[in-house]
Amino acid sequence: MFQVPRGTRDFTSEEMEKRRYIEKNMAATFKSFGYGEIQTPTFESLELFTAKSGESIISEIYAFTDKGGRQLALRPELTAPVIRCYVERLQMEPKPLKLFYFGNCYRYDRPQKGRYREFQQAGCEIIGADTPEAMAELLACAFTLLTNIGLKNIRMNVGNLTIVGALFSTLNLQKDDQKKLLLLIDKSQFDDLRISLRELGISDDTTEQFICILQTPDIEEIHAFIQKDEAAIKELSSMKTVLDLLANAFKITEYGIKLGIVRGLDYYKGIVFEIDAPLLGAEKQLCGGGAYELVSLFGGSDVPTAGFAIGFDRTILALEAEGFAFPPPSLDVYIIPVNQEMLPTTIEISQRLRREGLSVDFDQLRRGVGKSLKYAAAKHANTVIIVGPKELEQQSVTLRDMKTGNQEIVAITKIHSKLKNV
Ligand code: HAM
């Protein structure tokens, strides 16, 4: 017996129906915000991912050497690939360039509910605009994608890496130490953070103040802490403009400031954000993103970039946790030939209805009417057409409404108009 590889999943037709339903809804939302779709390869040069994050990322991804000796990796995310494509082909496009994507990602994570080795992201990148309105719209787009599919219980937290940098400066910490601390902050491991800060010679008072600022939603409190850093004050004021636009113009108010949001990936700078579904427990982060720098690292002319990605699989889990009623899979018509002589007519009707855009199936196992009706019910068929010799003499068939059980004789030429009225 073979089994799916650890951390991967099969999706049955029923599950695919849910996934496609959400995908269609999300694509419509991305398009409504002026984004166009992009697709990049499933694997890329390994260097694309180590360029910013360093060799240490290799242990977290699927890296391999192909038969031609090329160092490749299954993509762990799509931001670096999209920016690679931008630098390679799209730099001359009018700005801002707004691109969205759906794609499988691969990470050598420890699998658990909501965390897989193969998972799907729905995300976007905006290239060439960093005005407060562009950032506010990015945040609004992420939030709207999730509310448009029916999620209710979600919360956005907005952080800012420039300001966290200023906090570190007040503590006089080296870059290497900052990196270690950022990992602890990212995971909200404040006890370990306390220990590390004490080891770095930071007083208990300052440590508590620092941890407090990382968690406070109060912009004034943050302002007071970074008073001496002009760049950080400017960044805070620009972040306030973004958030005011989000609340007052985009009418999205379910957010809070949280400087403790520092994002694990190495390319971010400035505003970063995450959206959580608290109902999911440990793996509750549905979406993450922010402003970042990769274009110049990949050899392109410097241009502002920002984006986010939604974990598609977690989003489905969150919808299920909220008891969302996905539309059941359905078949428009199931056709039952009463005997084999009725087959040509059965197939002709199937083909005609299919051409008219209906989903149609017919009995291909030569079962009796009773068993075929049970099968049609199991497949959620809306209507069953029974093709029998007596009705066929009159160029008619029997139409059965599967919801009510009502049956009527209908001329073959009238089937489609009749079905439209059902
Ligand atoms: P990320 O936070 O690493 O960001 O991933 C985005 C989302 O993907 C997460 O919030 C989570 O829902 C989902 N996700 C991550 N790892 C797994 C996993 N192992 N299993 C299931 N879901 C997972 C990025 O990838 C950035 N590229 C986002 C971005 C776009 N930033 C700027 N542009």
Side-chain angles (χ1 to χ4, degrees):
M1 276 288 280
F2 293 110
Q3 289 180 336
V4 287
R6 187 163 145 78
T8 70
R9 293 145 304 148
D10 299 312
F11 300 110
T12 62
S13 305
E14 234 164 82
E15 286 159 338
M16 282 312 295
E17 192 94 6
K18 289 184 187 177
R19 295 172 77 84
R20 293 287 185 230
Y21 170 80
I22 301 297
E23 231 175 59
K24 215 167 132 194
N25 188 304
M26 285 186 168
T29 305
F30 275 126
K31 285 183 188 164
S32 78
F33 277 80
Y35 282 82
E37 189 165 4
I38 185 169
Q39 196 172 56
T40 60
T42 308
F43 57 86
E44 296 272 355
S45 306
L46 173 61
E47 229 189 310
L48 187 72
F49 305 109
T50 53
K52 188 81 193 176
S53 306
E55 302 283 311
S56 63
I57 199 182
I58 296 178
S59 64
E60 294 164 34
I61 64 181
Y62 282 85
F64 59 98
T65 309
D66 78 356
K67 293 190 178 72
R70 297 171 195 88
Q71 299 269 295
L72 300 170
L74 296 182
R75 59 183 175 207
E77 54 109 40
L78 279 104
T79 304
V82 168
I83 296 304
R84 192 253 323 125
C85 170
Y86 165 75
V87 172
E88 212 176 322
R89 292 184 49 186
L90 304 172
Q91 289 199 73
M92 301 311 280
E93 293 284 310
K95 305 287 183 314
L97 187 58
K98 297 167 102 176
L99 303 168
F100 80 92
Y101 50 78
F102 293 98
N104 279 0
C105 300
Y106 303 84
R107 294 185 190 179
Y108 202 70
D109 267 336
R110 185 192 294 263
Q112 63 185 76
K113 189 170 180 190
R115 191 196 295 175
Y116 311 100
R117 290 185 169 170
E118 180 186 53
F119 61 98
Q120 187 174 324
Q121 282 189 348
C124 69
E125 314 299 335
I126 175 165
I127 304 169
D130 62 354
T131 54
E133 52 273 33
M135 281 313 288
E137 190 199 63
L138 186 76
L139 269 56
C141 180
F143 201 83
T144 310
L145 277 157
L146 295 173
T147 50
N148 273 1
I149 58 168
L151 272 175
K152 301 210 160 20
N153 202 342
I154 51 172
R155 174 97 190 147
M156 176 150 64
N157 289 307
V158 186
N160 191 306
L161 290 176
T162 308
I163 299 171
V164 173
L167 298 184
F168 279 136
S169 304
T170 63
L171 303 183
N172 273 328
L173 292 175
Q174 302 294 319
K175 274 265 173 290
D176 273 0
D177 292 331
Q178 293 186 13
K179 227 175 160 185
K180 265 186 252 152
L181 298 178
L182 279 174
L183 288 176
L184 298 177
I185 298 172
D186 189 37
K187 297 197 167 76
S188 298
Q189 291 173 346
F190 293 119
D191 286 341
D192 292 340
L193 183 64
R194 279 188 183 90
I195 296 170
S196 296
L197 285 169
R198 186 170 302 151
E199 280 169 4
L200 290 165
I202 311 292
S203 74
D204 286 356
D205 271 2
T206 312
T207 295
E208 287 317 312
Q209 225 179 347
F210 178 68
I211 290 176
C212 195
I213 293 295
L214 288 176
Q215 291 173 285
T216 181
D218 184 348
I219 223 163
E220 297 310 319
E221 227 176 294
I222 298 170
H223 191 274
F225 201 82
I226 55 170
Q227 247 174 23
K228 288 185 206 107
D229 191 322
E230 260 176 51
I233 294 281
K234 207 165 144 218
E235 184 70 23
L236 186 65
S237 132
S238 147
M239 180 158 142
K240 189 171 177 314
T241 312
V242 169
L243 296 179
D244 286 347
L245 279 173
L246 188 62
N248 303 328
F250 287 100
K251 308 284 180 211
I252 290 170
T253 51
E254 297 91 333
Y255 69 81
I257 291 182
K258 192 170 169 192
L259 292 182
I261 300 292
V262 291
R263 313 281 301 131
L265 298 164
D266 292 311
Y267 45 57
Y268 291 104
K269 55 149 211 183
I271 287 198
V272 286
F273 68 99
E274 290 178 357
I275 302 176
D276 289 345
L279 282 182
L280 287 188
E283 299 302 322
K284 63 177 192 285
Q285 194 200 116
L286 295 187
C287 173
Y292 59 89
E293 266 170 359
L294 274 180
V295 173
S296 49
L297 184 71
F298 292 173
S301 318
D302 208 10
V303 63
T305 44
F308 63 80
I310 291 175
F312 194 83
D313 309 85
R314 286 187 197 169
T315 303
I316 299 218
L317 290 176
L319 276 171
E320 286 169 349
E322 287 191 2
F324 181 78
F326 285 91
S330 71
L331 181 67
D332 293 323
V333 180
Y334 190 74
I335 313 184
I336 306 172
V338 164
N339 58 42
Q340 281 181 61
E341 275 92 81
M342 303 297 110
L343 256 179
T345 309
T346 299
I347 294 171
E348 272 167 39
I349 299 173
S350 303
Q351 288 295 84
R352 191 178 326 146
L353 294 178
R354 283 170 179 161
R355 277 194 296 274
E356 276 155 4
L358 297 176
S359 56
V360 185
D361 201 359
F362 67 88
D363 173 43
Q364 296 169 4
L365 289 180
R366 304 178 180 182
R367 284 183 283 223
V369 173
K371 278 196 177 150
S372 288
L373 277 173
K374 264 196 194 149
Y375 180 79
K379 292 286 159 188
H380 306 283
N382 293 322
T383 305
V384 162
I385 296 175
I386 302 165
V387 186
K390 234 171 66 212
E391 293 79 16
L392 198 55
E393 270 174 25
Q394 314 297 317
Q395 287 303 303
S396 297
V397 291
T398 304
L399 238 69
R400 181 186 174 94
D401 182 326
M402 292 296 280
K403 271 193 206 92
T404 59
N406 292 342
Q407 294 198 170
E408 59 179 317
I409 311 279
V410 173
I412 290 178
T413 51
K414 298 270 161 56
I415 295 175
H416 189 237
S417 55
K418 187 80 205 165
L419 286 175
K420 273 205 295 201
N421 296 331
V422 169

